[in-house]
């Protein structure tokens, strides 16, 4: 632990007191409390378009991962392949109702949402006092159980240095987690520990979370991190970004500073390698043929050797540009790799090229000859205004990409501002000879992880359009997967509290669309 002079200690104590004052009352009641609407909600349209007719999208869903909850229920990107698709029908726009739960006085965004075998929501929500693992009732959004995770270093830094951008560019601490095949949460907390947490109903009918396993990664991961008792560290802090299981049940983990490791759940054995000079800020995808991850320099395919040590199968560098764009977390791809194709033969990401970002599709076999791995490189969106920090949607031979250029944090779009926006569908040709642009949409979805319902053929975006009166109105917008045409938009709320801030849309087994927002979570469901 670093030492510091008396003046700095005094300042630190003052800031700790300030933080404590900010955190008073941050534990929510069990019964859901609606997120308050901001100014102007009576002056905007609450419904646009018309109800849709369900038209299932033909195709084959990704292979079911043996160590994940069923496809559509297991994580931020819906399945091990990172497809961003759900087998459930989302809202069709038939008299849709909006409900919400406010998680904390300030903040409280619920990012990753998963569903247990009973259809209950299992989610992690971020507050200034720490992340909260929560079990929510799908109908009422009432909190059934709660487990407090440690506060992230970025939150302490934001409060003590008045630099809240650190929070919005931090993907560690449990934001990425997965639900396994036994309804257990597996996540990496801000102490560089991986925890496996079950939930169960007690004899009195109430619910609780129970930690079943705790694997300490600090022997392999530098952990001199900012905290209330260590405000001025002198060493290295390497937060764990994400965790996922492979097809053999090992738990893989990656860190911001390029460490890639595994945990053997049976023995607790830890193994790791370092991708020196490279940063990992996204999650990763897994299939039977290995693990696919992207750094701010290259796309990788990994496998584990007999002892669990990660080994590189292949590496492909991409154009990382000359800087971080507004709408990106770092100077690199913002996408979790998508594993897709009729024979599971492709992997797709975006690059960070300066003028126009490109969608990149690669052949992912280990025996692909040098120079033949790249299938296509397709530029998307306008010159000087294209980036994404969200995973692509993949279904069949199709990819859908969203433009996040211009979004930085929840303050970016205040007073009626929006982003240039856009979404594009790209299809790989049936013979694998290249890719073609199918349609382009002007939907303005600043920062959400969009989703596709393969059951009804609708894409769901979280939209904010410019408003000359300065009203900050947010909408769940459905777009036809086949044509790119808007179908309907349902107003969800106004103001900063309804800003999505990088959280995904998640479609539930009951047909509800859930959206993580800055102050909690929103649910949109048909009533007719």
């Amino acid at each position: 632990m670093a030492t510091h002079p008396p003046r700095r200690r005094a300042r630190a104590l003052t800031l700790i007191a300030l933080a404590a004052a900010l955190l008073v009352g941050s534990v929510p009641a069990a019964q859901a409390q609606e997120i308050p609407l901001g100014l102007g909600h009576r002056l905007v349209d609450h419904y646009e378009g018309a109800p849709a007719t369900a038209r299932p999208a033909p195709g084959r869903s990704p292979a079911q991962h043996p160590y994940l909850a069923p496809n559509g229920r297991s994580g931020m990107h819906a399945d091990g392949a990172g497809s961003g698709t759900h087998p459930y029908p989302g809202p069709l726009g038939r008299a849709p109702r909006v409900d919400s739960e406010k998680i904390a006085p300030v903040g409280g965004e619920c990012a990753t949402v998963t569903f247990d075998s009973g259809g209950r929501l299992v989610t992690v929500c971020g507050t200034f006092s720490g992340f909260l693992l929560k079990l929510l009732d799908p109908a009422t959004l009432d909190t059934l159980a709660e487990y407090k995770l440690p506060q992230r270093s970025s939150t302490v830094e934001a409060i003590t240095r008045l630099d809240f951008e650190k929070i919005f560019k931090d993907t560690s601490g449990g934001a990425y987690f997965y639900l396994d095949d036994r309804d257990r949460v597996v996540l990496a907390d801000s102490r560089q520990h991986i925890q496996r947490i079950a939930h169960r109903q007690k004899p009195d009918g109430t619910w609780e979370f129970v930690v079943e396993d705790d694997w300490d990664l600090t022997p392999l991961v530098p952990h001199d991190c900012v905290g209330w008792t260590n405000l001025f560290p002198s060493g290295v802090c390497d937060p764990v970004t994400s965790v996922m299981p492979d097809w053999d049940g090992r738990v893989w983990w990656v860190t911001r500073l390029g460490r890639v490791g595994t945990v053997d759940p049976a023995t607790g054995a830890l193994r790791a390698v370092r991708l020196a000079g490279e940063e990992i800020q996204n999650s990763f995808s897994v299939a039977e043929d290995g693990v696919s991850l992207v750094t701010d320099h290259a796309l990788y395919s990994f496998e584990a050797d007999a002892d669990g040590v990660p080994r590189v199968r292949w590496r492909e560098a991409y154009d990382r540009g000359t800087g971080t764009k507004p709408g990106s977390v770092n100077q690199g791809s913002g996408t979790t790799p998508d594993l897709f194709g009729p024979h599971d033969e492709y992997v797709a990401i975006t690059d960070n090229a300066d003028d126009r970002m490109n969608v990149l599709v690669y052949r992912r076999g280990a025996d692909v000859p040098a120079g033949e791995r790249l299938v296509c490189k397709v530029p998307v969106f306008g010159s000087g205004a294209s980036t994404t920090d969200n995973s692509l949607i993949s279904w069949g031979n199709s990819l859908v990409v969203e433009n996040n250029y211009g979004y930085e944090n929840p303050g970016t779009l205040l007073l009626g501002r929006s982003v240039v926006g856009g979404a594009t569908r790209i299809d790989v040709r049936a013979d694998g000879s290249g890719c073609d642009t199918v349609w382009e949409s002007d939907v303005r979805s600043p920062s959400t992880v969009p989703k596709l319902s393969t059951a009804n053929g609708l894409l769901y975006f979280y939209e904010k359009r410019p408003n000359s009166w300065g009203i900050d109105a947010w909408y769940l917008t459905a777009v036809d997967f086949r044509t790119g045409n808007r179908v309907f938009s349902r107003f969800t709320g106004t103001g900063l509290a309804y800003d999505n801030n990088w959280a995904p849309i998640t479609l539930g087994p009951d047909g509800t669309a859930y959206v993580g927002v800055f102050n909690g979570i929103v649910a949109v469901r048909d009533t007719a």
Side-chain angles (χ1 to χ4, degrees):
M1 182 184 298
T3 59
H4 44 84
R7 182 178 298 176
R8 294 175 77 183
R9 282 200 299 269
R11 178 176 178 271
L13 290 173
T14 301
L15 288 167
I16 290 171
L18 173 61
L22 285 171
L23 302 176
V24 170
S26 64
V27 177
Q31 188 172 4
Q33 179 184 357
E34 291 281 331
I35 299 171
L37 296 170
L39 296 174
H41 62 90
R42 291 186 175 87
L43 302 176
V44 297
D45 291 333
H46 282 217
Y47 186 86
E48 300 173 4
T53 299
R55 296 178 62 202
R60 179 177 59 89
S61 63
Q64 176 58 52
H65 194 300
Y67 292 94
L68 287 177
N71 287 350
R73 295 177 180 241
S74 62
M76 181 177 289
H77 301 302
D79 46 54
S83 76
T85 67
H86 293 271
Y88 318 115
L92 291 171
R94 297 173 178 170
R97 187 183 79 238
V98 177
D99 300 300
S100 66
E101 181 178 7
K102 178 181 177 180
I103 299 298
V106 179
E109 178 178 313
C110 302
T112 300
V113 174
T114 63
F115 302 93
D116 70 7
S117 54
R120 290 168 287 268
L121 279 69
V122 186
T123 183
V124 169
C125 307
T127 74
F128 280 104
S129 63
F131 277 13
L132 300 173
L133 174 60
K134 295 177 78 73
L135 184 69
L136 303 180
D137 183 285
T140 65
L141 299 180
D142 290 347
T143 296
L144 305 177
E146 182 179 292
Y147 175 76
K148 187 173 182 180
L149 297 167
Q151 193 173 54
R152 298 188 300 174
S153 294
S154 60
T155 304
V156 179
E157 288 186 88
I159 294 172
T160 57
R161 302 172 190 178
L162 299 180
D163 181 4
F164 288 88
E165 194 68 24
K166 292 185 178 297
I167 294 176
F168 304 126
K169 291 186 179 293
D170 184 1
T171 57
S172 70
Y176 288 116
F177 73 87
Y178 69 85
L179 197 69
D180 74 7
D181 58 314
R182 294 170 55 186
D183 276 350
R184 298 174 299 184
V185 167
V186 181
L187 58 77
D189 65 25
S190 61
R191 302 170 302 145
Q192 284 95 334
H193 282 232
I194 293 177
Q195 292 186 309
R196 187 158 60 185
I197 306 170
H199 58 280
R200 64 190 182 193
Q201 194 167 23
K202 296 186 289 186
D204 64 359
T206 60
W207 291 83
E208 64 177 350
F209 286 106
V210 180
V211 177
E212 291 192 350
D213 297 284
D214 188 307
W215 298 292
D216 182 0
L217 305 184
T218 57
L220 299 180
V221 180
H223 53 283
D224 190 11
C225 303
V226 174
W228 294 116
T229 58
N230 187 29
L231 289 174
F232 306 101
S234 58
V236 175
C237 176
D238 189 11
V240 181
T241 304
S242 184
V243 293
M244 284 288 280
D246 67 16
W247 235 251
D248 295 316
R250 295 183 195 86
V251 178
W252 286 64
W253 48 272
V254 297
T255 70
R256 182 178 302 164
L257 301 183
R259 288 174 171 82
V260 181
T262 66
V263 176
D264 184 335
T267 66
L270 304 177
R271 302 288 186 267
V273 297
R274 173 93 189 276
L275 305 175
E278 300 188 37
E279 187 175 278
I280 304 172
Q281 286 275 36
N282 300 296
S283 189
F284 54 98
S285 298
V286 287
E288 195 165 4
D289 62 349
V291 171
S292 296
L293 66 87
V294 66
T295 73
D296 60 346
H297 285 74
L299 172 66
Y300 286 85
S301 176
F302 273 90
E303 61 186 355
D305 68 15
D307 196 34
V309 178
R311 301 295 185 195
V312 176
R313 297 171 70 233
W314 54 263
R315 177 186 189 271
E316 286 286 326
Y318 61 83
D319 186 349
R320 64 190 299 262
T322 58
T324 302
K325 298 178 182 180
S328 298
V329 170
N330 64 6
Q331 186 187 334
S333 174
T335 51
T336 296
D338 274 69
L339 309 177
F340 74 108
H343 305 292
D344 296 326
E345 66 266 49
Y346 301 129
V347 54
I349 60 169
T350 61
D351 65 14
N352 191 51
D354 284 341
D355 184 47
R356 295 179 72 192
M357 175 183 71
N358 297 282
V359 173
L360 307 174
V361 178
Y362 300 91
R363 296 178 178 89
R364 72 179 201 242
D367 57 351
V368 175
E372 296 183 18
R373 191 170 295 282
L374 183 65
V375 176
C376 64
K377 179 179 180 179
V378 183
V380 289
F381 310 123
S383 176
S386 64
T387 191
T388 191
D389 216 76
N390 287 309
S391 178
L392 307 170
I393 292 172
S394 56
W395 183 251
N397 271 1
S398 301
L399 297 165
V400 177
V401 58
E402 170 190 280
N403 190 9
N404 303 135
Y405 189 88
Y407 183 89
E408 298 269 28
N409 58 58
T412 306
L413 305 183
L414 292 176
L415 302 177
R417 290 175 291 183
S418 188
V419 293
V420 62
T424 299
R425 174 177 158 183
I426 294 166
D427 282 10
V428 182
R429 296 171 194 153
D431 62 1
S433 62
C435 304
D436 300 298
T437 298
V438 178
W439 52 252
E440 296 176 332
S441 167
D442 64 355
V443 64
R444 296 176 188 249
S445 186
S447 67
T448 196
V449 183
K451 294 294 175 61
L452 166 66
S453 165
T454 60
N456 66 19
L458 295 180
L459 295 157
Y460 294 91
F461 297 89
Y462 195 61
E463 189 173 26
K464 185 177 190 289
R465 302 167 208 158
N467 186 287
S468 59
W469 293 353
I471 300 170
D472 297 316
W474 293 86
Y475 293 82
L476 179 75
T477 294
V479 169
D480 190 309
F481 173 69
R482 290 172 173 82
T483 66
N485 295 330
R486 292 170 185 269
V487 180
F488 71 88
S489 294
R490 174 58 166 97
F491 170 78
T492 59
T494 42
L496 183 86
Y498 284 88
D499 189 307
N500 176 250
N501 191 45
W502 305 117
I505 294 169
T506 307
L507 304 181
D510 64 351
T512 301
Y514 299 92
V515 189
V517 297
F518 184 62
N519 208 191
I521 189 168
V522 166
V524 181
R525 64 191 103 223
D526 286 341
T527 62

